[in-house]
Structure formats: C-alpha cells, structure tokens
Amino acid sequence: MMWVARRLLSSVAQRSQYAGHSGLFRRPQHGCLPDLELRYLQCTCCWRSRVPVAGFETLNAAISSTSEPCNEDNRSLDACYTDEQRAAILQLLNTAEPSELAGVKLLRGRKSLNLVEYRTKNGPFKTLESVVNVPLLKHKSAVTVFNSILNPVKKERKVRIQLAKFIRPEVDRSWLENARNIVSLVCGTNKIAWAQVDRGMTVLEWQELDCPNFLRGTYMASAYLNDVSAAVALLPSADFYIIEKSSISVQNTALFPIMAHMRTVEAMLFALLEPRNLPPESNIPPRVLNMMRPAVGRHFGLMVAESRTSGAQTVRQLMTESVTQKLPRINFPPELLLKHRNSFQMGSRRGGGEELCDALLQAVAFYELLGESSS
C-alpha cells in the first residue's frame, strides 16, 4: 500500500497566509516555518485511512540521537573490545616482526618500526590504551589498527598467471596437475642441490652435493660430466624434474663465465634425466622442465629491481611454520628439520647454503603457481 505524507497546519489563520498560493512548501511571510503539529500518512487508494506519525520535534530528536557519532575519545580503548579480542590484538602487537606488522592497515613504514622500538624499550603492551603512546599512533589510528587485526582483508590476485610464464617448455596442464611428486634442482657455482616434494606439499628429500670440478681450469667437459653424473645418480625417481633457469643475460659480458657454466650443467642435466629412445609420435610429455628463477623470486617477494635476494629467511619461516602451525605451507619430516635446523642462520656456512634454499623455494612455488594459474 502506498502512503503519502500529509501535513496538518495548526490553524485556519495559518492557512490564510498562503491564500492564492499553491503547494505545501511556500515560504511564510514572516520568514519562518509555521508550527507543525501531528502529521499522518494517508492511503492513496481510499484517501480515508490515516496513520499518525511523530512531529518534527520528535523526529529531529530521534535523528540527532542516532546519527551523532559516538565520542570515542571519552572511552577507554580496552572498553571497546572483549577480553578475547584484546588478547588477540595484544598477542600480535607484542610478537609480530616489522614485516608482519606492515601487513596491518596503517602500520606500514615508520609506524611499524616505532611500535617495535617502543615495545623493545618499554616491554610488551599490557593494555590497548598504552598503544597510543607509540609515536604516530593516536586514538583513531589505533582503533583502525585494532579492527584491521581482528578483521584482516585478504588480497586476492586479480590477474590469472599463465603457465608458460614460469615453465618451459610448455606442457599440458593436466600432466603437471597429476604429478605425484617433483624434484626441484638448482645449480650453483660449486654444488647441485635438490628437493623432492610431493603433491601433498611434504618434503620427501632435501640435500646437495659438492661438485669440485665446477668452474675449474678450462671447463673440461669430462670433468663436468663426472660431477653432474654423480648428482644424477643420487636423485630420487620423480614424475618431473624442475631445473632452475638462470636469469643471467648473454649481454652481460662480466658474468659470461658464470652463464656458460650454468648452461653447461643445465644441458647435461637435461640429457641425463630425459628418457631416451622414445618414438617421436609417443604422447609422453617431457620429464625435464625449466622454471624461471625470477618467477620464483617474485612469488616470494625476493626481487629487488631485477636482482633476487637471499631466500634463507623465507626458508627458516617455512620450517618454523611446519612445527607451529596446524596447516603449514609445506611439511618437513622431523629428520630433515633436525638436519637443517642450523643450516640457514645468518653467517652460517655449515651444512647448507643458497642452493638448498632455492631448490626448496622452487618446489613450493611450482605447486602454488600451478594452483593459481588453474584457479
């Protein structure tokens, strides 16, 4: 039922002010609106049924009481949240690293550093109210930070990743998605490292082999073949072998010896790992593939301009999450955690290095990028 609001004027004298004028919203002669009394809604079908509604004074009072913003400055921040919410907020603020705090709204840049410096100097935050003592964090900013911690916004990638951008040669997606496990290989200047990871994101094997003949003398092919063959003999069986494709340009003459070394090892791995004597018409995909090194770096946020930084900290974080989280990004068997627990400490040279890190990160990125490209 449609209703039209009608106004009742307080007296006939007030109506006479508008003699000769049409419409309800004429300006009165004395420059002020007439006093309005009870109003009603009238049915447009029969024009008899009327429902009274509140006058302007009642309506204005109701609007002013509901639309006026709450004066949060007079309330304690701790009183705005439940015990569970306060505990969750304080837990993150007291334990998160600057990089993690930067993911919280309004805590990017200097504010996250100020927060860490303040808690280091004064101890952990015991109340939410104490957070406003951090430089650049005032009441309104603190409320935004707290709400962002309680209700984080997940950022989803809008651009679909093309498989050909990180895997070469191009292979039908179904073959890769059906792979039970892969072996990720990375060649360094004096060693070859590999990581075997299954489709359930569990590390099955993770090790490296020293190659004493790499970059020695005149790059003797026979010496290179001995080192590469020794590594291949130790590799576990897998559906696919993913070899890192270096991003060194042929135009960079200063790094040409390194590039020639990488290409030599890469070619030998392809030759030794790819099945032989397959008929040309066989519908079997290549078993050895290249994965672009910059693609892995971008996936983990390790790229600075065109250069890739160390992935040691990322690997340490993955190892920690494997123990502390119920659903970690990747699972490590206890024996591998024990074996490599001190391998990636800052300045440590014992038991591992960048090649081990890169082999593992390449395997993780392979599965995650494959999932993103198919979603």
Side-chain angles (χ1 to χ4, degrees):
M1 180 182 293
M2 295 180 60
W3 298 87
V4 176
R6 302 290 301 271
R7 298 180 177 180
L8 290 180
L9 300 178
S10 60
S11 66
V12 176
Q14 289 173 329
R15 292 195 193 96
S16 64
Q17 295 177 358
Y18 297 91
H21 299 274
S22 61
L24 291 175
F25 297 98
R26 294 292 183 180
R27 184 177 297 277
Q29 297 175 356
H30 300 292
C32 61
L33 288 174
D35 295 332
L36 300 180
E37 294 181 348
L38 187 66
R39 296 179 298 172
Y40 59 86
L41 297 176
Q42 184 165 343
C43 175
T44 58
C45 296
C46 63
W47 294 98
R48 289 191 297 271
S49 301
R50 296 177 179 180
V51 179
V53 295
F56 276 145
E57 294 79 5
T58 306
L59 184 61
N60 288 337
I63 293 176
S64 61
S65 64
T66 57
S67 62
E68 184 178 354
C70 177
N71 188 5
E72 294 182 348
D73 291 335
N74 295 331
R75 293 185 62 190
S76 168
L77 287 172
D78 295 88
C80 298
Y81 301 92
T82 65
D83 293 340
E84 293 77 10
Q85 290 174 332
R86 288 197 300 271
I89 295 170
L90 292 174
Q91 172 70 17
L92 187 139
L93 295 179
N94 287 326
T95 59
E97 297 295 329
S99 57
E100 186 178 355
L101 290 172
V104 179
K105 189 175 181 179
L106 293 188
L107 283 188
R108 295 179 182 175
R110 187 62 202 173
K111 289 181 181 178
S112 61
L113 297 177
N114 287 347
L115 193 146
V116 173
E117 291 174 0
Y118 184 89
R119 80 185 186 200
T120 302
K121 181 179 179 180
N122 300 281
F125 298 102
K126 296 181 179 180
T127 64
L128 299 183
E129 197 67 37
S130 63
V131 177
V132 299
N133 296 324
V134 177
L136 302 180
L137 270 179
K138 300 307 178 184
H139 191 280
K140 289 185 178 180
S141 299
V143 171
T144 303
V145 168
F146 300 158
N147 293 339
S148 178
I149 293 174
L150 296 175
N151 302 290
V153 178
K154 293 183 178 180
K155 296 182 179 179
E156 298 181 356
R157 298 193 179 193
K158 297 181 180 180
V159 180
R160 181 175 175 179
I161 299 174
Q162 296 181 6
L163 195 64
K165 287 188 176 182
F166 63 92
I167 290 292
R168 304 282 175 82
E170 192 170 356
V171 180
D172 187 87
R173 188 190 312 278
S174 61
W175 288 100
L176 300 177
E177 292 175 342
N178 293 330
R180 294 165 298 177
N181 64 81
I182 65 167
V183 170
S184 168
L185 292 116
V186 171
C187 166
T189 56
N190 61 354
K191 61 185 65 177
I192 295 176
W194 61 90
Q196 184 185 25
V197 179
D198 66 12
R199 191 165 51 186
M201 298 304 287
T202 298
V203 182
L204 305 178
E205 187 172 322
W206 190 25
Q207 61 176 303
E208 64 184 1
L209 180 69
D210 290 329
C211 301
N213 294 309
F214 282 2
L215 291 175
R216 290 287 184 90
T218 56
Y219 297 81
M220 291 293 294
S222 58
Y224 263 68
L225 183 60
N226 288 337
D227 285 349
V228 176
S229 298
V232 170
L234 298 176
L235 295 179
S237 177
D239 293 324
F240 288 99
Y241 294 91
I242 313 298
I243 302 175
E244 181 187 70
K245 183 73 171 180
S246 174
S247 59
I248 300 177
S249 172
V250 295
Q251 307 299 328
N252 192 335
T253 56
L255 295 178
F256 185 82
I258 303 297
M259 187 203 69
H261 159 73
M262 296 292 188
R263 295 291 186 269
T264 301
V265 176
E266 179 185 325
M268 289 186 174
L269 287 172
F270 265 84
L272 295 173
L273 291 172
E274 195 65 64
R276 302 178 183 179
N277 303 322
L278 291 178
E281 64 277 5
S282 63
N283 189 26
I284 298 178
R287 193 170 66 161
V288 187
L289 304 171
N290 270 135
M291 188 162 184
M292 305 299 111
R293 178 177 172 84
V296 179
R298 285 190 292 270
H299 183 69
F300 288 102
L302 301 177
M303 299 299 293
V304 176
E306 297 299 320
S307 301
R308 178 170 154 181
T309 58
S310 172
Q313 182 177 352
T314 304
V315 170
R316 290 197 300 270
Q317 181 179 349
L318 292 175
M319 296 173 71
T320 301
E321 292 175 355
S322 178
V323 177
T324 59
Q325 295 188 4
K326 185 177 181 180
L327 295 174
R329 202 168 175 179
I330 188 167
N331 299 286
F332 292 85
E335 59 273 15
L336 287 181
L337 286 175
L338 184 63
K339 178 180 179 181
H340 297 295
R341 62 181 178 179
N342 296 321
S343 297
F344 311 110
Q345 301 298 325
M346 295 297 294
S348 174
R349 298 291 183 181
R350 296 179 297 169
E354 289 299 321
E355 292 83 3
L356 269 177
C357 291
D358 294 346
L360 180 71
L361 295 180
Q362 180 173 260
V364 175
F366 171 85
Y367 283 111
E368 292 182 347
L369 289 172
L370 180 62
E372 292 178 10
S373 66
S374 60
S375 59

